[in-house]
Amino acid sequence: MENDLPPRVVWFKKDLRVVDHEPLYTASRFGTVLCLYIYEPELYREPYFSSSHLQAVHQALTQLKRELQRLGADLLIQIGESVDVLEKLQKTTGFTELLSHQETGTGATYERDLAVGDWCKENGVHWREWRQQGVIRALRQRAGWANQWQEYMSEACLPAPKHLQGYKMKAWGQPKSARSLGLTQPTQSGAALTNESEAHRTLNDFLQVRGEGYQSGLSSPVSAFDSCSRLSHHFTYGTISLRKVFQATKSRQEELRRLKASRPGSNEWLRSISSFSQRLRWHCHFMQKLESEPEIEFQNMARSYDGLREANHDIEKFELWKRGETGYPLIDASMRCLQKTGWINFRMRAMLMSFASYHLWLHWRPTALHLAQEFLDFEPGIHFAQAQMQSGTTGINAIRIYSPSKQVVDHDPSGKFIKAYLPELEALPAAYLAHPQKMPKELQNRLGIRIGKDYPAPVVDETVAMAKARSKFYRVKRSPEAKKEAGEIYQRHGSRRSPHRSKATHP
Ligand SMILES: Cc1cc2nc3c(=O)[nH]c(=O)nc-3n(C[C@H](O)[C@H](O)[C@H](O)COP(=O)(O)OP(=O)(O)OC[C@H]3O[C@@H](n4cnc5c(N)ncnc54)[C@H](O)[C@@H]3O)c2cc1C
């Protein structure tokens, strides 16, 4: 087993694919390649982590390793702190080039990257990083961002390398289950599969079959499972690149326009594809906020709202919300759906967050951390910015308080979704879906749905809680300090219209 020269090390992080992978493609053109994945136990102690995330990594790595073998290389799988692993690897291989994608992660992954950067400098290793999103590192100002995004997304996607000249090693290691890493077994039995071929299959299925109903079906949890693209966990683990999806979407859009010109008919497909394409930009628009201001993982984007909720953390209410036992059927069904599948649509996510922040008056940080654990697609840049937006602490977005009972009427009037996740409400008549507690006692007994016994009484009175929250909130929002701060925040983070998309809705 001989190697002539040290390899170029390609470090896979949240980019578990071979297609449109610039570090891998570049390395493949210049000689021997050593592909590396590191399980980092220090990250598993972070409060947003759950072993369900590792299940997705396991699935993606299993296929990635096979693909790399097919191309002539393999995937070295290590466990430990990145700097220690790289140091050991340098001793055995003498590598001086490290290639990877940039990561817009959490404070913990940022610290890890800083440590790796220092180690590289001290040990004569040249670390090259490539963008893998439309996110711009060290961005000076937001003006012009959308144009730069468009340019990046329009650059040609790279194919998988035709062949890899793999470095030779004795032992490569296998993808690890959560249990073999000493962690609890994942519980989300209904979670979607995460790997590169599944990502491409899902994209195709969406663009050719399911996508027509996107625009009309994305808000209801009854239709969203089929109508939405369901690509988010693939973006999170990088089993497909956003650029690949953007370009496939654009091609489909052009095809649909041609079809429409020759056979005028319904606009449903075109409307849906355009609305989906817009959201691909939102993905990076939100991530850019965390890239430019990492503090928003930990603190209110608008500091004028500091102190508003922090002291009020009611553990009991928090636990009921987490368990899906608030007495509001759509909240509880959404939470239990997350426990099982790791996914729920945007509208329900926004409702869960808004209910916790306004009705239960809980600060966004602990609730956002809980949702991060539940979301298979936890993406820090989108997640913390959205959590703050739905809690009103960004200073720049309109306040939106979702009523959990109105959402039932609007999005699950027959109770199909609610009853799928709350079997105890199977016999509940549609008229009481929004307010089961309003059922007469006699009916409760007859149906076996006794409020407070078979299904919880509402944790708070919706109308009273909403009015209280509104009044406390607007007291701050209308203050001169909050108004002044909002202007400053808009300069840092507000979206700017792109000349290409002058009619685009703002996120
Ligand atoms: C409180 C809260 C937390 C969220 N946390 C996450 C998260 O951790 N990870 C995550 O990927 N999304 C998050 N979202 C955004 C959104 O709900 C999901 O991206 C979407 O539901 C994923 O399903 P999909 O891929 O089928 O989406 P589609 O509707 O098919 O959209 C396609 C892609 O566009 C992007 N996108 C869609 N909606 C948004 C949005 N509102 N903001 C930013 N990007 C968007 C996502 O990358 C998504 O995969 C959060 C939303 C809220 C309200």
Side-chain angles (χ1 to χ4, degrees), residues 17 19-20 132 149 153 155 157 196 199-204 206-207 229-232 234-235 238-253 273 276-277 279-281 283:
R17 63 178 183 274
V19 174
D20 202 24
Q132 80 154 336
W149 183 89
M153 289 298 154
E155 283 170 15
C157 286
E196 189 167 9
H200 287 266
R201 192 202 62 73
T202 305
L203 172 64
N204 246 354
F206 176 70
L207 291 181
S229 72
R230 307 299 314 280
L231 283 166
S232 52
H234 293 296
F235 292 141
T239 43
I240 197 164
S241 73
L242 200 81
R243 183 162 61 180
K244 185 88 196 162
V245 174
F246 174 77
Q247 293 185 10
T249 306
K250 208 163 164 226
S251 302
R252 177 68 174 138
Q253 213 164 11
I273 293 292
F276 170 72
S277 178
R279 280 167 177 80
L280 297 178
R281 188 165 48 88
H283 176 106

Short mmCIF file of all heavy atoms in Angstrom, two decimals, residues 17 19-20 132 149 153 155 157 196 199-204 206-207 229-232 234-235 238-253 273 276-277 279-281 283:
data_model
loop_
_atom_site.label_atom_id
_atom_site.label_comp_id
_atom_site.label_asym_id
_atom_site.label_seq_id
_atom_site.Cartn_x
_atom_site.Cartn_y
_atom_site.Cartn_z
N ARG A 17 -22.33 15.23 -0.57
CA ARG A 17 -22.70 14.89 -1.95
C ARG A 17 -21.45 14.87 -2.81
O ARG A 17 -20.37 15.32 -2.36
CB ARG A 17 -23.67 15.94 -2.51
CG ARG A 17 -23.03 17.31 -2.61
CD ARG A 17 -23.93 18.37 -3.20
NE ARG A 17 -23.25 19.65 -3.33
CZ ARG A 17 -23.18 20.57 -2.38
NH1 ARG A 17 -23.75 20.36 -1.21
NH2 ARG A 17 -22.51 21.69 -2.58
N VAL A 19 -22.06 15.63 -6.45
CA VAL A 19 -22.41 16.53 -7.57
C VAL A 19 -22.39 17.99 -7.08
O VAL A 19 -22.86 18.29 -6.00
CB VAL A 19 -23.83 16.20 -8.11
CG1 VAL A 19 -24.26 17.20 -9.17
CG2 VAL A 19 -23.87 14.79 -8.68
N ASP A 20 -21.83 18.87 -7.94
CA ASP A 20 -21.71 20.29 -7.62
C ASP A 20 -21.01 20.49 -6.26
O ASP A 20 -21.51 21.22 -5.40
CB ASP A 20 -23.08 21.00 -7.65
CG ASP A 20 -22.90 22.51 -7.86
OD1 ASP A 20 -21.87 22.91 -8.40
OD2 ASP A 20 -23.81 23.27 -7.46
N GLN A 132 -20.98 27.59 -0.60
CA GLN A 132 -21.90 26.58 -1.10
C GLN A 132 -23.35 27.08 -1.09
O GLN A 132 -24.27 26.37 -1.36
CB GLN A 132 -21.76 25.25 -0.38
CG GLN A 132 -22.40 25.09 0.96
CD GLN A 132 -22.71 23.62 1.22
OE1 GLN A 132 -22.86 22.84 0.30
NE2 GLN A 132 -22.83 23.26 2.48
N TRP A 149 -26.43 37.26 -5.41
CA TRP A 149 -27.03 35.94 -5.22
C TRP A 149 -27.36 35.32 -6.58
O TRP A 149 -27.04 34.18 -6.87
CB TRP A 149 -28.29 36.08 -4.36
CG TRP A 149 -28.94 34.77 -4.04
CD1 TRP A 149 -28.66 33.98 -2.96
CD2 TRP A 149 -29.97 34.10 -4.78
NE1 TRP A 149 -29.44 32.85 -2.99
CE2 TRP A 149 -30.25 32.90 -4.10
CE3 TRP A 149 -30.67 34.39 -5.94
CZ2 TRP A 149 -31.21 31.99 -4.54
CZ3 TRP A 149 -31.63 33.48 -6.39
CH2 TRP A 149 -31.89 32.30 -5.69
N MET A 153 -25.92 31.88 -8.31
CA MET A 153 -26.83 30.78 -8.62
C MET A 153 -26.83 30.46 -10.12
O MET A 153 -27.18 29.36 -10.52
CB MET A 153 -28.27 31.13 -8.19
CG MET A 153 -28.45 31.14 -6.69
SD MET A 153 -28.13 29.53 -5.96
CE MET A 153 -27.64 30.00 -4.31
N GLU A 155 -24.08 30.56 -12.02
CA GLU A 155 -22.82 29.94 -12.46
C GLU A 155 -23.06 28.46 -12.71
O GLU A 155 -23.86 27.82 -12.01
CB GLU A 155 -21.75 30.08 -11.36
CG GLU A 155 -21.15 31.47 -11.30
CD GLU A 155 -20.28 31.64 -10.05
OE1 GLU A 155 -19.92 30.62 -9.40
OE2 GLU A 155 -19.99 32.79 -9.73
N CYS A 157 -23.18 24.57 -12.69
CA CYS A 157 -23.01 23.54 -11.64
C CYS A 157 -21.91 22.58 -12.10
O CYS A 157 -21.75 22.32 -13.29
CB CYS A 157 -24.28 22.74 -11.46
SG CYS A 157 -25.56 23.63 -10.61
N GLU A 196 -28.01 11.61 -1.24
CA GLU A 196 -27.93 12.38 -2.49
C GLU A 196 -28.92 11.89 -3.54
O GLU A 196 -29.57 12.70 -4.21
CB GLU A 196 -26.50 12.33 -3.04
CG GLU A 196 -26.30 13.28 -4.19
CD GLU A 196 -24.83 13.50 -4.56
OE1 GLU A 196 -23.97 12.77 -4.04
OE2 GLU A 196 -24.57 14.39 -5.40
N ALA A 199 -32.33 13.07 -2.71
CA ALA A 199 -32.48 14.52 -2.94
C ALA A 199 -32.84 14.78 -4.40
O ALA A 199 -33.75 15.57 -4.70
CB ALA A 199 -31.18 15.24 -2.57
N HIS A 200 -32.14 14.11 -5.32
CA HIS A 200 -32.42 14.33 -6.76
C HIS A 200 -33.79 13.77 -7.13
O HIS A 200 -34.52 14.37 -7.92
CB HIS A 200 -31.30 13.72 -7.61
CG HIS A 200 -30.04 14.53 -7.55
ND1 HIS A 200 -29.73 15.51 -8.45
CD2 HIS A 200 -29.04 14.55 -6.63
CE1 HIS A 200 -28.59 16.09 -8.11
NE2 HIS A 200 -28.14 15.52 -7.00
N ARG A 201 -34.14 12.63 -6.53
CA ARG A 201 -35.46 12.05 -6.81
C ARG A 201 -36.56 13.00 -6.32
O ARG A 201 -37.54 13.26 -7.02
CB ARG A 201 -35.59 10.68 -6.10
CG ARG A 201 -36.79 9.87 -6.55
CD ARG A 201 -37.23 8.83 -5.54
NE ARG A 201 -37.65 9.39 -4.26
CZ ARG A 201 -38.79 10.05 -4.06
NH1 ARG A 201 -39.65 10.23 -5.04
NH2 ARG A 201 -39.07 10.53 -2.86
N THR A 202 -36.37 13.55 -5.12
CA THR A 202 -37.38 14.46 -4.54
C THR A 202 -37.53 15.71 -5.41
O THR A 202 -38.64 16.19 -5.65
CB THR A 202 -36.96 14.86 -3.11
OG1 THR A 202 -36.75 13.66 -2.36
CG2 THR A 202 -38.01 15.68 -2.41
N LEU A 203 -36.40 16.24 -5.87
CA LEU A 203 -36.45 17.45 -6.71
C LEU A 203 -37.22 17.18 -8.00
O LEU A 203 -38.11 17.96 -8.38
CB LEU A 203 -35.01 17.90 -7.03
CG LEU A 203 -34.88 19.04 -8.05
CD1 LEU A 203 -35.51 20.32 -7.51
CD2 LEU A 203 -33.42 19.30 -8.41
N ASN A 204 -36.90 16.06 -8.64
CA ASN A 204 -37.58 15.70 -9.88
C ASN A 204 -39.07 15.52 -9.70
O ASN A 204 -39.89 16.02 -10.48
CB ASN A 204 -37.03 14.34 -10.35
CG ASN A 204 -36.27 14.52 -11.62
OD1 ASN A 204 -36.26 15.62 -12.18
ND2 ASN A 204 -35.65 13.45 -12.07
N PHE A 206 -40.88 16.76 -7.41
CA PHE A 206 -41.52 18.04 -7.13
C PHE A 206 -41.72 18.84 -8.42
O PHE A 206 -42.82 19.35 -8.69
CB PHE A 206 -40.69 18.84 -6.12
CG PHE A 206 -41.23 20.20 -5.84
CD1 PHE A 206 -42.43 20.36 -5.13
CD2 PHE A 206 -40.59 21.35 -6.30
CE1 PHE A 206 -42.96 21.62 -4.89
CE2 PHE A 206 -41.12 22.61 -6.07
CZ PHE A 206 -42.31 22.75 -5.37
N LEU A 207 -40.65 18.94 -9.21
CA LEU A 207 -40.73 19.80 -10.40
C LEU A 207 -41.63 19.22 -11.50
O LEU A 207 -42.20 19.95 -12.29
CB LEU A 207 -39.33 20.07 -10.97
CG LEU A 207 -38.43 20.96 -10.12
CD1 LEU A 207 -37.09 21.17 -10.81
CD2 LEU A 207 -39.08 22.32 -9.84
N SER A 229 -41.84 21.23 -1.43
CA SER A 229 -40.77 20.46 -2.12
C SER A 229 -40.20 19.37 -1.24
O SER A 229 -39.73 18.36 -1.74
CB SER A 229 -39.66 21.42 -2.55
OG SER A 229 -38.93 21.85 -1.41
N ARG A 230 -40.17 19.58 0.06
CA ARG A 230 -39.57 18.63 1.04
C ARG A 230 -38.06 18.48 0.79
O ARG A 230 -37.49 17.41 0.97
CB ARG A 230 -40.27 17.28 0.99
CG ARG A 230 -41.78 17.32 1.12
CD ARG A 230 -42.22 17.90 2.46
NE ARG A 230 -41.49 17.37 3.57
CZ ARG A 230 -41.74 16.20 4.15
NH1 ARG A 230 -42.73 15.48 3.73
NH2 ARG A 230 -41.01 15.77 5.16
N LEU A 231 -37.46 19.60 0.39
CA LEU A 231 -36.00 19.56 0.13
C LEU A 231 -35.18 20.09 1.30
O LEU A 231 -33.95 20.03 1.27
CB LEU A 231 -35.69 20.40 -1.12
CG LEU A 231 -36.04 19.73 -2.46
CD1 LEU A 231 -36.00 20.75 -3.59
CD2 LEU A 231 -35.07 18.59 -2.77
N SER A 232 -35.84 20.64 2.31
CA SER A 232 -35.09 21.38 3.34
C SER A 232 -34.01 20.54 4.03
O SER A 232 -32.89 21.02 4.23
CB SER A 232 -36.03 21.99 4.37
OG SER A 232 -36.91 21.02 4.88
N HIS A 234 -32.40 18.15 2.80
CA HIS A 234 -31.31 17.92 1.84
C HIS A 234 -30.39 19.15 1.78
O HIS A 234 -29.18 19.02 1.66
CB HIS A 234 -31.88 17.59 0.47
CG HIS A 234 -32.59 16.25 0.46
ND1 HIS A 234 -31.92 15.07 0.70
CD2 HIS A 234 -33.89 15.91 0.30
CE1 HIS A 234 -32.78 14.06 0.65
NE2 HIS A 234 -33.99 14.55 0.41
N PHE A 235 -30.98 20.34 1.89
CA PHE A 235 -30.13 21.54 1.93
C PHE A 235 -29.30 21.55 3.22
O PHE A 235 -28.13 21.92 3.22
CB PHE A 235 -30.99 22.81 1.87
CG PHE A 235 -31.69 23.02 0.55
CD1 PHE A 235 -32.99 23.51 0.49
CD2 PHE A 235 -31.04 22.73 -0.64
CE1 PHE A 235 -33.63 23.70 -0.72
CE2 PHE A 235 -31.67 22.92 -1.87
CZ PHE A 235 -32.97 23.40 -1.91
N GLY A 238 -26.64 19.11 2.89
CA GLY A 238 -25.90 19.35 1.63
C GLY A 238 -25.94 18.17 0.69
O GLY A 238 -25.03 17.99 -0.12
N THR A 239 -27.01 17.37 0.73
CA THR A 239 -27.08 16.23 -0.20
C THR A 239 -27.48 16.70 -1.61
O THR A 239 -27.46 15.90 -2.54
CB THR A 239 -28.06 15.15 0.33
OG1 THR A 239 -29.22 15.80 0.84
CG2 THR A 239 -27.42 14.36 1.46
N ILE A 240 -27.83 17.96 -1.73
CA ILE A 240 -28.00 18.59 -3.05
C ILE A 240 -27.63 20.06 -2.87
O ILE A 240 -27.80 20.61 -1.78
CB ILE A 240 -29.45 18.43 -3.59
CG1 ILE A 240 -29.52 18.69 -5.09
CG2 ILE A 240 -30.43 19.34 -2.85
CD1 ILE A 240 -30.81 18.19 -5.75
N SER A 241 -27.09 20.67 -3.93
CA SER A 241 -26.74 22.09 -3.76
C SER A 241 -27.94 22.96 -4.13
O SER A 241 -28.74 22.61 -5.01
CB SER A 241 -25.53 22.45 -4.63
OG SER A 241 -25.90 22.51 -5.99
N LEU A 242 -28.02 24.10 -3.47
CA LEU A 242 -29.11 25.04 -3.74
C LEU A 242 -29.04 25.51 -5.20
O LEU A 242 -30.05 25.70 -5.86
CB LEU A 242 -29.00 26.23 -2.79
CG LEU A 242 -30.26 27.04 -2.60
CD1 LEU A 242 -31.18 26.35 -1.61
CD2 LEU A 242 -29.98 28.44 -2.11
N ARG A 243 -27.79 25.64 -5.68
CA ARG A 243 -27.60 26.09 -7.06
C ARG A 243 -28.18 25.08 -8.05
O ARG A 243 -28.81 25.45 -9.04
CB ARG A 243 -26.09 26.27 -7.29
CG ARG A 243 -25.71 26.79 -8.62
CD ARG A 243 -24.31 27.34 -8.62
NE ARG A 243 -23.31 26.33 -8.27
CZ ARG A 243 -22.00 26.59 -8.21
NH1 ARG A 243 -21.57 27.81 -8.42
NH2 ARG A 243 -21.15 25.65 -7.91
N LYS A 244 -27.99 23.79 -7.75
CA LYS A 244 -28.52 22.74 -8.63
C LYS A 244 -30.06 22.86 -8.66
O LYS A 244 -30.69 22.77 -9.72
CB LYS A 244 -28.10 21.38 -8.05
CG LYS A 244 -28.46 20.21 -8.90
CD LYS A 244 -27.36 19.91 -9.90
CE LYS A 244 -27.87 18.99 -10.98
NZ LYS A 244 -27.02 19.02 -12.16
N VAL A 245 -30.64 23.07 -7.51
CA VAL A 245 -32.10 23.16 -7.42
C VAL A 245 -32.59 24.41 -8.14
O VAL A 245 -33.56 24.38 -8.91
CB VAL A 245 -32.57 23.15 -5.94
CG1 VAL A 245 -34.06 23.41 -5.82
CG2 VAL A 245 -32.19 21.82 -5.29
N PHE A 246 -31.88 25.52 -7.93
CA PHE A 246 -32.27 26.78 -8.57
C PHE A 246 -32.27 26.61 -10.10
O PHE A 246 -33.20 27.01 -10.79
CB PHE A 246 -31.31 27.89 -8.15
CG PHE A 246 -31.54 29.19 -8.88
CD1 PHE A 246 -32.60 30.01 -8.53
CD2 PHE A 246 -30.73 29.58 -9.93
CE1 PHE A 246 -32.84 31.20 -9.21
CE2 PHE A 246 -30.95 30.75 -10.63
CZ PHE A 246 -32.01 31.57 -10.26
N GLN A 247 -31.20 25.98 -10.62
CA GLN A 247 -31.09 25.86 -12.08
C GLN A 247 -32.12 24.89 -12.65
O GLN A 247 -32.66 25.12 -13.73
CB GLN A 247 -29.66 25.48 -12.46
CG GLN A 247 -28.72 26.62 -12.11
CD GLN A 247 -27.28 26.41 -12.56
OE1 GLN A 247 -26.97 25.50 -13.29
NE2 GLN A 247 -26.41 27.29 -12.10
N ALA A 248 -32.38 23.80 -11.95
CA ALA A 248 -33.40 22.86 -12.42
C ALA A 248 -34.77 23.54 -12.42
O ALA A 248 -35.60 23.35 -13.32
CB ALA A 248 -33.42 21.62 -11.52
N THR A 249 -34.99 24.39 -11.42
CA THR A 249 -36.26 25.11 -11.32
C THR A 249 -36.40 26.09 -12.48
O THR A 249 -37.47 26.22 -13.09
CB THR A 249 -36.34 25.87 -9.97
OG1 THR A 249 -36.11 24.91 -8.92
CG2 THR A 249 -37.67 26.53 -9.76
N LYS A 250 -35.30 26.76 -12.79
CA LYS A 250 -35.32 27.73 -13.89
C LYS A 250 -35.62 27.03 -15.22
O LYS A 250 -36.43 27.51 -16.02
CB LYS A 250 -33.96 28.43 -13.95
CG LYS A 250 -34.04 29.80 -14.50
CD LYS A 250 -32.82 30.61 -14.19
CE LYS A 250 -32.85 31.80 -15.13
NZ LYS A 250 -31.59 32.05 -15.76
N SER A 251 -34.98 25.87 -15.43
CA SER A 251 -35.23 25.13 -16.68
C SER A 251 -36.69 24.73 -16.79
O SER A 251 -37.31 24.83 -17.84
CB SER A 251 -34.41 23.84 -16.75
OG SER A 251 -33.09 24.11 -16.64
N ARG A 252 -37.23 24.26 -15.66
CA ARG A 252 -38.63 23.83 -15.66
C ARG A 252 -39.56 25.02 -15.93
O ARG A 252 -40.55 24.91 -16.65
CB ARG A 252 -38.94 23.19 -14.30
CG ARG A 252 -40.37 22.75 -14.11
CD ARG A 252 -40.75 21.57 -15.00
NE ARG A 252 -42.08 21.09 -14.68
CZ ARG A 252 -42.97 20.73 -15.58
NH1 ARG A 252 -42.67 20.77 -16.87
NH2 ARG A 252 -44.15 20.30 -15.21
N GLN A 253 -39.18 26.16 -15.37
CA GLN A 253 -39.98 27.38 -15.57
C GLN A 253 -40.00 27.74 -17.06
O GLN A 253 -41.06 28.08 -17.60
CB GLN A 253 -39.30 28.51 -14.79
CG GLN A 253 -40.22 29.52 -14.23
CD GLN A 253 -39.51 30.35 -13.15
OE1 GLN A 253 -38.29 30.29 -12.99
NE2 GLN A 253 -40.28 31.14 -12.44
N ILE A 273 -44.19 27.50 -9.38
CA ILE A 273 -42.74 27.41 -9.56
C ILE A 273 -42.08 28.75 -9.25
O ILE A 273 -41.00 28.81 -8.65
CB ILE A 273 -42.40 26.96 -11.02
CG1 ILE A 273 -42.87 25.52 -11.23
CG2 ILE A 273 -40.92 27.10 -11.34
CD1 ILE A 273 -42.11 24.47 -10.45
N PHE A 276 -41.95 29.12 -5.49
CA PHE A 276 -40.92 28.23 -4.93
C PHE A 276 -39.53 28.84 -5.15
O PHE A 276 -38.71 28.90 -4.24
CB PHE A 276 -41.04 26.86 -5.60
CG PHE A 276 -39.90 25.93 -5.30
CD1 PHE A 276 -39.77 25.36 -4.04
CD2 PHE A 276 -38.94 25.63 -6.27
CE1 PHE A 276 -38.71 24.51 -3.76
CE2 PHE A 276 -37.88 24.78 -5.99
CZ PHE A 276 -37.77 24.22 -4.74
N SER A 277 -39.30 29.32 -6.36
CA SER A 277 -37.99 29.86 -6.72
C SER A 277 -37.64 31.05 -5.81
O SER A 277 -36.51 31.22 -5.38
CB SER A 277 -38.06 30.29 -8.18
OG SER A 277 -36.87 30.87 -8.56
N ARG A 279 -38.52 31.41 -2.79
CA ARG A 279 -38.13 30.91 -1.46
C ARG A 279 -36.69 30.40 -1.42
O ARG A 279 -36.06 30.39 -0.37
CB ARG A 279 -39.11 29.83 -1.00
CG ARG A 279 -40.36 30.47 -0.43
CD ARG A 279 -41.48 29.50 -0.23
NE ARG A 279 -42.61 30.15 0.38
CZ ARG A 279 -43.50 30.91 -0.27
NH1 ARG A 279 -43.38 31.09 -1.57
NH2 ARG A 279 -44.51 31.46 0.37
N LEU A 280 -36.17 29.99 -2.57
CA LEU A 280 -34.77 29.57 -2.59
C LEU A 280 -33.87 30.76 -2.24
O LEU A 280 -32.82 30.62 -1.62
CB LEU A 280 -34.40 28.99 -3.95
CG LEU A 280 -35.16 27.71 -4.35
CD1 LEU A 280 -34.75 27.26 -5.74
CD2 LEU A 280 -34.92 26.58 -3.33
N ARG A 281 -34.30 31.93 -2.67
CA ARG A 281 -33.54 33.14 -2.33
C ARG A 281 -33.72 33.48 -0.84
O ARG A 281 -32.77 33.88 -0.16
CB ARG A 281 -33.98 34.31 -3.22
CG ARG A 281 -33.11 35.54 -3.06
CD ARG A 281 -33.34 36.51 -4.21
NE ARG A 281 -34.77 36.73 -4.45
CZ ARG A 281 -35.50 37.65 -3.83
NH1 ARG A 281 -34.95 38.44 -2.96
NH2 ARG A 281 -36.78 37.79 -4.12
N HIS A 283 -33.99 31.48 1.51
CA HIS A 283 -33.09 30.59 2.25
C HIS A 283 -31.78 31.33 2.58
O HIS A 283 -31.35 31.39 3.73
CB HIS A 283 -32.82 29.35 1.38
CG HIS A 283 -31.84 28.38 1.95
ND1 HIS A 283 -32.22 27.16 2.47
CD2 HIS A 283 -30.50 28.42 2.07
CE1 HIS A 283 -31.15 26.52 2.89
NE2 HIS A 283 -30.09 27.26 2.64
#
